[in-house]
């Protein structure tokens, strides 16, 4: 009986591992240049990876979808520039403008299973004039 449970358990683990997202990242980093936030990452391996979904969280710590980047294959470098972080507001009432953001990658496999990368944080240093103009533009969107 124990042997049967052990064999069934091993088969389940092996089957689950076959459907898991197989991605390893060499690095994942974020930098602010004062007008946008640049995300950079490099994959070591990408097995059956379809795409990366970039997600951002502000002070409310709720990750929200930002963009999709198509996978290019193993050992590839990626960059994404987030221009929308400027003047973004957090929370359901939109009352707080954030200057610190946390990013993560949702790595989506061909069978739509997913895994998440580690998170990276960045302080978005924006001048007072640019911040005011950005908030005014955000009101009219």
């Amino acid at each position: 009986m124990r042997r049967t449970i052990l064999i069934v358990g091993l088969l389940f683990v092996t089957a689950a591992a076959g459907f898991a997202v197989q991605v390893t990242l060499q690095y994942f980093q974020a930098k602010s240049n004062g007008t946008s936030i640049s995300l950079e990452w490099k994959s070591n391996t990408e097995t059956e990876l379809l795409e990366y979904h970039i997600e951002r969280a502000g002070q409310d710590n709720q990750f929200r979808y930002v963009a999709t980047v198509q996978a290019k294959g193993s050992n590839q470098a990626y960059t994404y520039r987030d221009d929308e972080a400027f003047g973004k507001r957090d929370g359901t009432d939109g009352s707080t403008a954030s200057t610190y953001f946390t990013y993560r990658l949702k790595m989506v496999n061909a069978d739509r299973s997913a895994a998440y990368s580690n998170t990276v944080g960045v302080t978005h240093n924006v001048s007072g004039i640019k911040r005011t103009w950005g908030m005014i533009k955000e009101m009219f969107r």
Side-chain angles (χ1 to χ4, degrees):
M1 179 68 172
R2 273 187 173 171
R3 189 177 217 173
T4 304
I5 292 172
L6 180 62
I7 291 171
V8 170
L10 285 174
L11 288 174
F12 178 75
V13 169
T14 304
F19 294 112
V21 175
Q22 301 292 321
V23 179
T24 56
L25 297 178
Q26 189 173 4
Y27 62 85
F28 177 42
Q29 59 191 18
K31 296 182 271 187
S32 172
N33 66 12
T35 57
S36 64
I37 295 175
S38 296
L39 301 173
E40 298 175 356
W41 68 97
K42 184 174 182 182
S43 67
N44 283 333
T45 58
E46 293 179 5
T47 305
E48 300 292 322
L49 185 68
L50 181 63
E51 58 198 12
Y52 293 95
H53 292 187
I54 299 167
E55 297 181 345
R56 173 184 58 228
Q59 293 172 347
D60 64 353
N61 293 320
Q62 296 295 312
F63 282 95
R64 293 172 182 85
Y65 170 83
V66 174
T68 298
V69 175
Q70 296 301 312
K72 299 187 275 187
S74 296
N75 203 28
Q76 296 293 317
Y78 297 86
T79 59
Y80 178 79
R81 192 172 99 184
D82 186 5
D83 295 321
E84 296 296 315
F86 182 73
K88 273 294 180 200
R89 300 197 175 270
D90 288 341
T92 55
D93 63 356
S95 61
T96 310
S98 183
T99 58
Y100 183 81
F101 296 99
T102 305
Y103 288 88
R104 71 181 180 188
L105 299 173
K106 180 179 180 182
M107 299 168 285
V108 181
N109 207 355
D111 67 358
R112 305 314 273 175
S113 61
Y116 291 93
S117 71
N118 60 314
T119 60
V120 295
V122 61
T123 300
H124 195 30
N125 298 318
V126 181
S127 73
I129 294 170
K130 286 184 180 179
R131 183 183 315 262
T132 302
W133 177 245
M135 289 177 174
I136 290 169
K137 287 187 345 187
E138 188 70 24
M139 288 185 334
F140 293 103
R141 288 186 185 199

